[in-house]
Structures are given as C-alpha cells and as structure tokens.
Amino acid sequence: MSYPRCDQSPAWAALQAHYQHSGAQFDLRAAFAAEPGRFAQWSLQAPEVFADLSKNRIATATLDLLVQLAEDCQLGAQREAMFKGEPINHTEGRAVLHTALRAPAGAAPFSDEVQTSLARMLAFAESVRAADSGIRDVVHIGIGGSDLGPAMVVQALQAFAKPGLRLHFVSNVDGHDLAPVLRELDPTRTLFVIASKTFTTQETLANALAAKAWFLAAGGSDVGRHFVATSSNTAAAAEFGIHTTFGFWDWVGGRYSLWSVIGLPIAIAIGAENFRALLAGAWAMDEHFRIAPLRQNLPVLLGLLDIWYRNFHGFTSRSVAPYHQGLKRLPAYLQQLEMESNGKGVDREGQALPYGSSPVVWGEAGTNGQHAYFQMLHQGTDVIPVEFIAVKTPTHGPHVTGELAERLADQHVKLLANCLAQSQALMQGKSVEEALHERAPTASKSLGVLTVARHRSFPGNRPSTTLLLETLNPRSLGALIALYEHRVFVSGALWGINSFDQWGVELGKALCSSLLPRLGSGDVAGLDASTAGLLQKLRA
C-alpha cells in the first residue's frame, strides 16, 4: 500500500509557517519562565524509560501540527503493517518482524518457529555456561548488525555476566583486531561463534578462516565442537567444519537481529533467564508503541522531534551521551540503527527526497564526552540536540562491597550531577553580562575585560532530551533498544522511505571484490587515476 509522504500533508506547510512565525525564535529559558508546569507537561513514563522532553524547542502548537503530520502520513497503518508482517521492505520483498522475535508465544507471526529457535539457542547457551563445559573464552566473529548489537549488550550487562567466562568480539578484517584476542586463548577452552546470515560476508569469513588456522596450529583438534555458527547457510557452515548451526529468517534485518540467534553470545554471557528478560523489556516497549495514543507514545514523540529538528530547524546531527560506562558502545550501535536505516535519498517510489533524512548520530559516554566534544556543543556555531541517558541506581555486581561500594556509590552521584549540569548548562547558557560579573582568570593584558567575557559566555537555548532508567538491567536495556528501533521507524515512515534495506553499502563491496585480484596482479586498466595511483603505491 502507498502512504502519503510528509511534504504532501497540509500539516507540512503549516509547520513551515509555524517555524517561521515562532519556532525559529523559541527560547527555552522564556518557556520555563512562562510555564511553571513545563516539566510535568513534557515528561513521560514509558516501559522502563522515563523521558524528559521539556528542554526541547517545542510548544503545544508544534506538537499539534506534528501529530497531524503523523496522522496524515497514516503512521498508525504503517505501524500495523509492520507488526502484521506485511512486506514493508518492498525493495527486497520482505517482512520486517524483529518484534516477533521478542513476542510471547502466540502473540505474533511465526510464533512457533521463533519459540523453537529461541529454546534451542538458549539450551546451547546454558550448556556452554555449565561448569563441565570446559569453555572459558567465547570469541564472537561477525560484523555490522551481527557484531554491534551483541557487543553492545554484553558490555552493558557485564554486572549480569557469568564470572570466569570471557566474551571477545572480533569484527574488523584488519588482523590487528583478531591477533590480540587469539594471543590470550587456550584452544581447548575456547568456543568460536561465527555470525553471518549468508556465511559469505567477506570480513567475517576471513576472520573465521584465520581463527580456524590458528586453532589447528595451536593444537586444537575438534573444529565441530569449538566452532558454531549463527547462519541460514547451513551447507556452507558444514563445509567449514561446523556441526552446530542456528538459523534464522530473511525477515530478520541485520541491525535488528540481536533478539534472534545472533544474540547467542548475549545468552552465553548473561544466561537464559536474563536473555528472556531482555526480550520481555523490548516487548513491553513494542506494546507501548503499538497501542499508546500518539501524544503519549514515546517512540512517536522522539521521531516527531527528529522531523522537527532535521527538516525545520535544519539541525543535521544529534549527539547521544549515555552517562553509564556500560552503555559506551550504544552510540556506535545507534549509528548503524539510524543512519543505515534512514540514510536514504529517495522515497519508496524511487523519487528524490526534497528534504533531509537521517541526521548524523554520534557520541561518547559521559563524563568522557565532556572532556572531548562538549566544548562544541556549548559554544560552537552549530546547534546539536543532545540525548542524555542516565541510570538512577548502579549495578556493580556482587563483588563490590564495603568501602569500595561506598566510594562507587559516591562516584555515581557525581556522575548524575554531571549529567544534570550539562543539560542545564546547554539550556541556560551564560550571557556576556553574567560573564562580566564573574571573577575571571587573569587574562592577557592585550585583551579587554569585555573581550574575555565574550569568550566566557554561552549562547544557551540548546535543546536536549534526558532518558532515565531506574537501573540498567536486561529488561530496561531491552526496552531502551526497542525505543530507539521504533523511533527510527517513525521518522522513516513520515519521510516516506524504506528504512529496512541498505543498498548503499553494496557498491563498495562489489568494487572491493574487483580490486582484490588487482592488488595481486597490479592490473590498473580501466581504473580512475586516483585508485590506480594508490594501488600502485601500495604494491611498490
């Protein structure tokens, strides 16, 4: 079914007029002064995630128009089509059913197959975790969606991981990724998980073959026991020497696959019960997204804000700042989720988009980011909305007791104070007049007091969103990830694009395949001058 594109809605023109009339001049400081109840009005509790949207440049009139835009684009119908398993990935003729992977039995399409696959995968994970398995190290080899999700989740849930069982993630075809990992391993106590849907991904297969060569050279003798695959190509895995393969379906997109058997390393790390809690948290957010009214629907509100900022304010990037070290890989995970999904230049009918699509998504864990790029956020020439993620209660694990527990609890308070302070500073800023009244550090005699004050002033009125979790555990992490998945769906649906293919990565792959033999032969016939010159330089 064809759905209206956002710029075809009367609300689009109304939003343009609204932006020119008041949106462009919106001042957060004035809004808080005029609206004592602004925090209550613009905050929302969704499953496991509390969101404060009050520091965004948005008014009730803005939301009214954005909701009308969503209704005009038939967002509800597009959402229902995804949950029903209609082939909304139309360029590949596939359904998009990552939601079915975390649904309870009978609650989604393919329920029986999903539950059977999940039970088999979790049973294997428990066998690896068992004391008599002999496995101490698990090396997961994949790339893209087969790496970013599992690696991010295992990092985030370290407090729930089995002690003494080490997880390693290798993705880059650069041997400098694999070699340091192998140096630590005992082949008789290592399990390799090869994650590739087709079992033909160049980087993954190269690393898998190198790992197998190391394993055999180091005295390993049972490839079938020490190598398993998460792949739909069981024949290729068997040819490699793998006896245990966990398959999945073509309606599982790579960047949405951590909920499937691709999540095997997660299940090995945290166990079957915690993996099911991860799925349950995601399903709770799925239900919120599916049934909550648009105005009280957190993924919808975040997606509408993305439209407002990208297409009307012209903000081209968004920074994600998780104030929890466990979430340090979340910005990288979200880069693929959002930019591979919505980094498109044509609509579903193949027509060029007359407006911008995906923003650049980037970030770093707080407080590290404060000492790196926050200078630009506060005083740079670009306005960059920031997404703060805070966790109320830390989970350091049972080994943290006594004085150490007290010290780390105090550090967590410092962490939260930094998070609150940064969003407050972005909003409030500091005027030149305020800077003049401060006791400034001694400046060069060549600089006047006013000049120094200008250097020490901040424009403020810079928007941010704060997402708050009570604690970071499997259920809350599942809900947080699903929130971001659905937010991407919302903006993509309104932009009228296919958020579930990724043809943009294919051209480079094809050209790489043609260049590989040339690096051996030196043949530069038909190449552009730059590529030919670089190839010859590399061979010299």
Side-chain angles (χ1 to χ4, degrees), residues 126-135 162 225:
E126 289 298 317
S127 73
V128 175
R129 290 167 55 84
D132 61 356
S133 74
I135 298 298
K162 180 179 173 63
R225 177 175 180 270

Side-chain angles (χ1 to χ4, degrees), residues 50 88 100 105 175 209 298 307 310 366 398 442 513:
F50 176 84
I88 63 173
L209 289 169
L298 186 52
I307 298 286
R310 182 72 179 92
T442 303
S513 296

Side-chain angles (χ1 to χ4, degrees), residues 11 15 42 59-69 71 295:
L15 278 162
W42 294 102
T60 301
T62 319
L63 181 61
D64 290 343
L65 291 171
L66 288 169
V67 169
Q68 186 60 54
L69 185 71
E71 291 173 345
R295 292 172 182 273

Side-chain angles (χ1 to χ4, degrees), residues 334-356:
L334 295 178
Q335 284 175 348
Q336 186 196 22
L337 177 64
E338 187 152 353
M339 293 194 286
E340 190 169 89
S341 295
N342 287 347
K344 311 291 171 61
V346 298
D347 66 13
R348 283 183 287 247
E349 309 305 320
Q351 300 300 310
L353 295 178
Y355 42 76

Side-chain angles (χ1 to χ4, degrees), residues 83-105:
F83 277 96
K84 284 182 177 179
E86 295 178 16
I88 63 173
N89 179 356
H90 69 294
T91 63
E92 298 178 295
R94 294 175 180 172
V96 176
L97 278 171
H98 46 281
T99 55
L101 297 170
R102 56 248 192 165

Side-chain angles (χ1 to χ4, degrees), residues 204-276:
T204 300
L205 209 53
N207 277 323
L209 289 169
K212 180 181 176 182
W214 169 86
F215 175 80
L216 295 173
S221 59
D222 190 349
V223 171
R225 177 175 180 270
H226 289 271
F227 285 77
V228 300
T230 50
S231 174
S232 297
N233 192 346
T234 55
E239 186 177 343
F240 182 93
I242 291 173
H243 302 155
T244 304
T245 300
F246 299 91
F248 52 106
W249 306 270
D250 67 358
W251 42 259
V252 180
R255 55 194 175 277
Y256 297 90
S257 65
L258 69 87
W259 321 100
S260 71
V261 297
I262 289 293
L264 175 59
I266 303 173
I268 292 173
I270 66 174
E273 183 179 353
N274 282 322
F275 190 87
R276 289 187 181 277

Side-chain angles (χ1 to χ4, degrees), residues 390-451:
V391 178
K392 181 179 177 182
T393 305
T395 48
H396 295 301
H399 66 290
V400 176
T401 59
E403 184 180 353
L404 175 61
E406 293 177 7
R407 287 185 176 275
L408 295 187
D410 179 64
Q411 289 179 213
H412 192 71
V413 174
K414 290 181 172 66
L415 179 74
L416 294 177
N418 272 277
C419 181
L420 294 179
Q422 291 299 320
S423 65
Q424 183 185 30
L426 285 167
M427 177 189 70
Q428 289 185 349
K430 182 197 296 181
S431 68
V432 173
E433 290 73 19
E434 289 170 324
L436 279 169
H437 286 89
E438 287 186 338
R439 185 169 182 173
T442 303
S444 167
K445 292 180 180 179
S446 63
L447 293 179
V449 174
L450 181 59
T451 300

